[in-house]
Amino acid sequence: MRAHADPAVLLPIDGLPALLAALGRDGYRCIGPAVEKGAIVMRELDGNDALPRGLQAEQGPGHYRLVADPHNRYFAWANGPQALKPLFFAPQETLWRAGRGDDGALRFEAVLPEAPKLAVIGARACDLAALALQDAHFLRPERVDAHYAARRARLFLVAVQCAVPAATCFCGSTGDGPVPTAGYDITLAELPEGFVAHAGSDAGRALLATLDLAPATPRQLDAVQVQGEAAAAAQARALPGKDLHDALMRRLDHPRWDEVAMRCLACGNCTAVCPTCFCHAEFDQPALDGASSTHQRVWDSCFGESHGHLHGFNVRPDIRTRYRQWLTHKLAGWHAQFGRSGCTGCGRCIAWCPVGIDLTGEVAALMAEQP
Amino acid sequence: MNTQMRFDAGAPHAATVVARTQESPSIFTLRLRLDDAAAQEAYRFAPGQFNMLYLYGVGEVPISIMSDPEDRDGIGHTIRALGRVTQGLAKLRPGDRVGLRGPFGRGWPLQEISGCDLVIVTGGLGCAPVVSVIHYVLRRRERFGKLVIIQGVKHADDLLWREQYEAWAKLPHTQVLVAANEGAAFWPWHVGRVTELFGLARFDPACAVAMMCGPEGMMHAAAANLLERGLPASRLFLSMERNMQCAVGRCGHCQLGGAFVCRDGPVFNWGEVQPLLAHRGF
Ligand SMILES: Cc1cc2nc3c(=O)[nH]c(=O)nc-3n(C[C@H](O)[C@H](O)[C@H](O)COP(=O)(O)OP(=O)(O)OC[C@H]3O[C@@H](n4cnc5c(N)ncnc54)[C@H](O)[C@@H]3O)c2cc1C
Ligand code: SF4
Ligand code: SF4
Ligand code: FES
C-alpha cells in the first residue's frame, strides 16, 4: 500500500456528525448516502440525517438489493446507481441564452450555473478515478468547460476505502481500487472502533485539524491495510488487461456482437449510470413569448437513435453497431483520447442493465476466440 | 485589429445575412457578416474548416466555410435544405440574423500541395469543402501544379454550378472529369460511373495530393483507384461528416474510433480513418 505523507488519525465511530458539522461550518453543503427506493443514492444531507448504517449492496447482473451488514458498518454498501457524475456534469443544464430584440438583432449571453460548495461523503476509489477521467475530458486546458469547472472547483471529497466490494466490482483489475489513492481531500477506512482518516489536500488537512483527533495506532493501520487487500482479493470479476485496445479492434467482426445485440435493449441505462460516459446532446428551448431561447445540454447515449443521425443516414443503425460503439469506445477509444481505458471497474453497468449484460463477460466471450 | 479575438468558445456571435443566392431548388448560399465590425475584421479560417450556424429558437448545424480565407467582407456558406435547421436557414433573407461560432476543426493540408498536382474528388451534389479549395487554388494558380477535378452525380440535373465546371474545364493545366449515372440532353460529360473516369485523370503520382469529400462509398472506390494509380496513402485526404452538437470535442457525437471529427478532423489523412471506415458503424 502507498505511504501517506500525513499521519493517520482516528475519527471515532460516532464521529461522523462532527465531521459533517465541521464541513457545514466551512460553508459546504454535504452530499452523502441515503436510502431511496431500495438503493443507496447520494443526496444532500440535512443536519439531522443519520447516515445509513448496517447495509450492504448485494449486486449481480441486472440485480441490486440492500441487505443487512452483520457488522453494522456505515460504508459496507459498495455503491449505488449514481456516481459523482451528476454533481459536476449536470443531467441537464442551460449553456447560453439567445435574445431577439424588436429590430431582429440577436444577443447571446453565457448562462453559468450556481455552484454551491459541496462536500461529498463516501466517494469510492472507482468514483475518484472516474472523476479524474471526467476532469481530463471537461477540463482540457485548451477548452475548459465553464459549467463543469464552476462546480468542480468548489468540491470537497471525503473518500472511503471499500471493505465489502459488490459481486459486480472489478476495480482491482482496472487498477482503480478498492483503496482510494488520489483525488480526495480526506479518505476514511472504517474499523469497528472508528475511521482511520488521512488528508489528501490542504483543505482536508485543515479540516481534520479542527476535529482534534488522536493518531491512529500501528495496529489500526495494519487492519486498514489488511482490509484493502482482502477487498481486492474478494473481487470475482475482472477485465483481462488494462489495455484491450488492439485486442478489441481486431475483433470488430466477431459474431459475439450479433449475439449481444439479440439481448441488449438499447435502453442506455449502462451509459446513464457509467461514471465516465460524457456524451450529451444540445437543443434549444424557446421561451413562450418568443423573445428568448435557451440552449441546453442533456445527457445522451450512444445507444439512442439520434446519436449517429446524419440526414438520410444513420451511422449506427442497429444495436450491434451501438453496443460495439459503447464497448470499443469505453475500452479502446479512450486509450487514444485519454491515455487509459474509460472503465474504472465500478460494475454499475452490470447491475443496472435490465437484462443483465455484463461487460466483463462480453469481453471474455470476445477474447475466447482468436480473431 | 485584435488578432486574439476568438469566436469558437462559448455562446455564438450575432451575424447578419448580407446576401443570399439560390444555387438549385434545394441549395442556397448565405453570405454572413458578424454584427461586431471588429469581430468580422478579426475572423480568420482555413479552407476545410466549418462554422456552427445557429437558427434562432431552433438549433445549430455544422456548415463548411466556402468563401476565400482572404475575403474579409463576409463568410460564405453553401447549404442544402434538408431538415429542421437547414430548412429554416433556407427561409432567411438578406438582413435576417443568425448566430455563428467557429471556425472549427482541421482544414485541408494546403501547404503540402505547394508545387504539386491536386486531384479533387467529390460526389453527390458536390461539397462545399472541396469547392472552397478549387476557388482557393484558382486564385493562387502559380503555387500549384495540375488541377484535376473529378465529380460523380446520380443525375445530370444534380450537378451544381454546371457553368462553372465548363469554365474550369477550359483553363490551362486543369482537367474536369464529370460523370452522371443518368445523363440529360446537352450533357457534355460522361454518362456512367465516376470510377470509369479515374483512368483518364492526368497527374503525377510522385507529386500529387488528393482531396475527397462526399458519400463514404464513393470515397472508398475513389481511394482504391487513386492508390492503384500510385498515389501514396499519405497524400490522400478526405473530409468526414458525423453528427455534431458541440463542435468542440465535448458532446461525443462525432467520434470516429478515438478521433473527434469536429476537432481532429473534419479533414483526415486516409490512413487515419481507413481501418474504421472499412467497418460499418463507426
Ligand atoms: C464538418 C461538416 C461540414 C458540413 N458542411 C456542410 C455544408 O457546407 N453544407 C451543407 O449543406 N451541409 C453541410 N454539412 C451537413 C449539415 O450539417 C447537415 O445537413 C445538417 O446538420 C442537417 O441539419 P438539419 O437540422 O437540417 O437536419 P435534421 O435531419 O433535422 O438533423 C437534426 C440534427 O442532426 C444533426 N445532423 C443531421 N445531419 C447531419 C450531418 N450530415 N452532419 C452533422 N450533423 C448532422 C444536426 O445536429 C441537426 O440539427 C456538414 C456537416 C459536417 C459534419
Ligand atoms: S463501463 Fe461499467 S464498470 Fe466500467 S466504469 Fe462504466 S459503469 Fe463502471
Ligand atoms: S447493455 Fe443493458 S443497460 Fe446497456 S443499453 Fe443494452 S440493455 Fe440497456
Ligand atoms: S461535435 Fe461534439 S464532440 Fe465533436
Side-chain angles (χ1 to χ4, degrees):
Chain A
M1 217 173 93
R2 81 233 169 271
H4 287 279
D6 278 52
V9 290
L10 189 81
L11 178 72
I13 198 71
D14 58 1
L16 287 172
L19 176 67
L20 297 184
L23 286 164
R25 279 196 298 279
D26 279 357
Y28 288 103
R29 277 157 57 176
C30 292
I31 305 285
V35 177
E36 221 169 73
K37 293 187 192 144
I40 295 280
V41 298
M42 300 301 272
R43 70 156 192 232
E44 186 162 355
L45 303 171
D46 98 42
N48 305 317
D49 269 353
L51 290 177
R53 191 170 185 186
L55 292 175
Q56 289 190 15
E58 180 189 273
Q59 301 190 52
H63 176 82
Y64 185 100
R65 184 183 299 148
L66 290 177
V67 297
D69 171 40
H71 304 293
N72 197 31
R73 284 166 291 191
Y74 283 99
F75 295 106
W77 50 273
N79 59 24
Q82 287 165 301
L84 306 176
K85 182 166 84 170
L87 301 177
F88 329 111
F89 172 30
Q92 184 171 340
E93 68 185 320
T94 299
L95 296 179
W96 41 264
R97 183 182 296 113
R100 183 158 63 176
D102 293 337
D103 58 350
L106 299 181
R107 272 175 308 278
F108 295 92
E109 52 168 342
V111 178
L112 281 170
E114 261 182 59
K117 285 175 78 175
L118 291 185
V120 180
I121 317 297
R124 306 292 170 151
C126 58
D127 295 337
L128 296 174
L131 177 59
L133 280 171
Q134 291 255 309
D135 285 353
H137 182 63
F138 286 103
L139 302 178
R140 267 193 313 126
E142 64 277 26
R143 246 196 220 290
V144 171
D145 183 89
H147 293 72
Y148 182 97
R151 296 196 182 85
R152 181 70 177 92
R154 313 202 65 196
L155 191 78
F156 190 100
L157 289 162
V158 180
V160 288
Q161 166 169 317
C162 284
V164 189
T168 42
C169 293
F170 56 99
C171 60
S173 71
T174 64
D176 297 305
V179 177
T181 54
Y184 52 78
D185 293 292
I186 295 175
T187 184
L188 306 175
E190 184 173 4
L191 298 178
E193 64 273 31
F195 305 92
V196 173
H198 282 280
S201 70
D202 290 340
R205 217 159 283 133
L207 192 99
L208 282 182
T210 66
L211 294 175
D212 194 21
L213 302 170
T217 64
R219 189 198 58 78
Q220 286 165 337
L221 292 176
D222 283 349
V224 167
Q225 176 155 359
V226 168
Q227 180 189 68
E229 285 161 3
Q235 294 188 359
R237 281 187 163 73
L239 282 175
K242 287 184 189 165
D243 187 350
L244 302 173
H245 178 282
D246 294 352
L248 276 175
M249 297 313 274
R250 275 200 302 273
R251 289 170 168 84
L252 297 179
D253 296 318
H254 197 289
R256 184 72 181 187
W257 303 114
D258 297 298
E259 198 278 333
V260 69
M262 306 278 280
R263 288 175 285 135
C264 173
L265 312 174
C267 66
N269 271 14
C270 47
T271 56
V273 296
C274 180
T276 68
C277 276
F278 53 69
C279 280
H280 54 271
E282 297 187 15
F283 69 99
D284 249 56
Q285 202 160 60
L288 288 177
D289 66 3
S292 70
S293 184
T294 57
H295 192 75
Q296 318 241 348
R297 75 170 162 207
V298 59
W299 286 4
D300 196 16
S301 167
C302 53
F303 283 93
E305 186 76 35
S306 58
H307 196 277
H309 168 84
L310 296 182
H311 193 91
F313 175 71
N314 198 307
V315 176
R316 285 176 286 279
D318 48 33
I319 298 184
R320 172 182 175 274
T321 51
R322 292 183 199 167
Y323 188 87
R324 190 181 65 182
Q325 169 68 20
W326 139 255
L327 200 71
T328 56
H329 178 225
K330 193 68 50 186
L331 301 179
W334 279 74
H335 286 277
Q337 294 170 344
F338 303 100
R340 60 153 291 172
S341 142
C343 176
T344 67
C346 75
R348 288 185 176 90
C349 56
I350 305 172
W352 298 97
C353 173
V355 293
I357 293 171
D358 171 353
L359 92 164
T360 63
E362 294 313 311
V363 170
L366 285 161
M367 299 303 160
E369 285 164 55
Q370 283 313 303
Chain B
M1 185 181 73
N2 181 358
T3 48
Q4 296 304 102
M5 279 173 95
R6 283 180 64 176
F7 313 101
D8 63 351
H13 298 264
T16 299
V17 177
V18 288
R20 182 191 189 282
T21 317
Q22 193 72 39
E23 311 281 3
S24 84
S26 65
I27 297 178
F28 56 99
T29 298
L30 295 181
R31 197 173 171 75
L32 305 176
R33 199 177 287 154
L34 293 167
D35 289 355
D36 176 349
Q40 178 58 42
E41 178 64 24
Y43 180 92
R44 295 284 184 284
F45 73 94
Q49 287 191 301
F50 66 97
N51 285 322
M52 290 300 274
L53 298 189
Y54 170 70
L55 179 65
Y56 178 72
V58 183
E60 292 185 299
V61 284
I63 302 290
S64 309
I65 310 163
M66 58 84 63
S67 46
D68 194 276
E70 275 163 37
D71 174 358
R72 296 275 169 275
D73 216 33
I75 311 165
H77 300 88
T78 295
I79 306 169
R80 187 173 179 201
L82 289 171
R84 264 164 50 80
V85 177
T86 52
Q87 285 183 10
L89 290 171
K91 299 198 180 87
L92 298 179
R93 294 293 175 267
D96 287 342
R97 317 300 176 101
V98 295
L100 181 154
R101 5 179 227 124
F104 296 111
R106 173 170 70 163
W108 299 106
L110 287 165
Q111 308 74 2
E112 288 193 32
I113 332 172
S114 219
C116 281
D117 297 345
L118 174 59
V119 183
I120 295 222
V121 185
T122 112
L125 289 137
C127 25
V130 293
V131 173
S132 71
V133 170
I134 296 172
H135 288 298
Y136 184 91
V137 170
L138 291 177
R139 286 196 196 116
R140 299 159 182 82
R141 201 63 193 85
E142 68 294 347
R143 291 198 217 156
F144 302 96
K146 289 193 204 97
L147 172 64
V148 184
I149 301 167
I150 307 175
Q151 166 142 19
V153 288
K154 269 210 201 87
H155 191 274
D157 292 343
D158 292 342
L159 185 68
L160 197 59
W161 298 307
R162 183 162 158 179
E163 305 75 37
Q164 220 170 32
Y165 282 81
E166 290 172 8
W168 289 336
K170 299 196 182 91
L171 297 174
H173 307 297
T174 305
Q175 191 183 11
V176 176
L177 299 165
V178 184
N181 291 352
E182 288 171 61
F186 307 110
W187 175 249
W189 320 99
H190 182 71
V191 176
R193 293 156 60 86
V194 69
T195 41
E196 291 157 13
L197 297 176
F198 277 86
L200 302 175
R202 286 185 306 272
F203 62 92
D204 174 10
C207 181
V209 169
M211 299 182 179
M212 312 188 285
C213 150
E216 285 173 29
M218 182 276 304
M219 291 199 281
H220 261 284
N225 271 282
L226 291 168
L227 298 173
E228 207 170 284
R229 290 277 309 266
L231 185 85
S234 61
R235 311 205 115 222
L236 179 54
F237 296 86
L238 74 169
S239 182
M240 294 287 305
E241 264 186 43
R242 283 294 175 266
N243 185 291
M244 290 188 180
Q245 310 272 309
C246 72
V248 295
R250 210 172 270 154
C251 76
H253 283 76
C254 70
Q255 290 176 90
L256 179 69
F260 292 92
V261 173
C262 65
R263 175 179 101 202
D264 305 321
V267 172
F268 288 95
N269 183 263
W270 178 245
E272 295 175 288
V273 295
Q274 185 278 330
L276 279 180
L277 289 191
H279 299 268
R280 192 179 59 92
F282 285 97

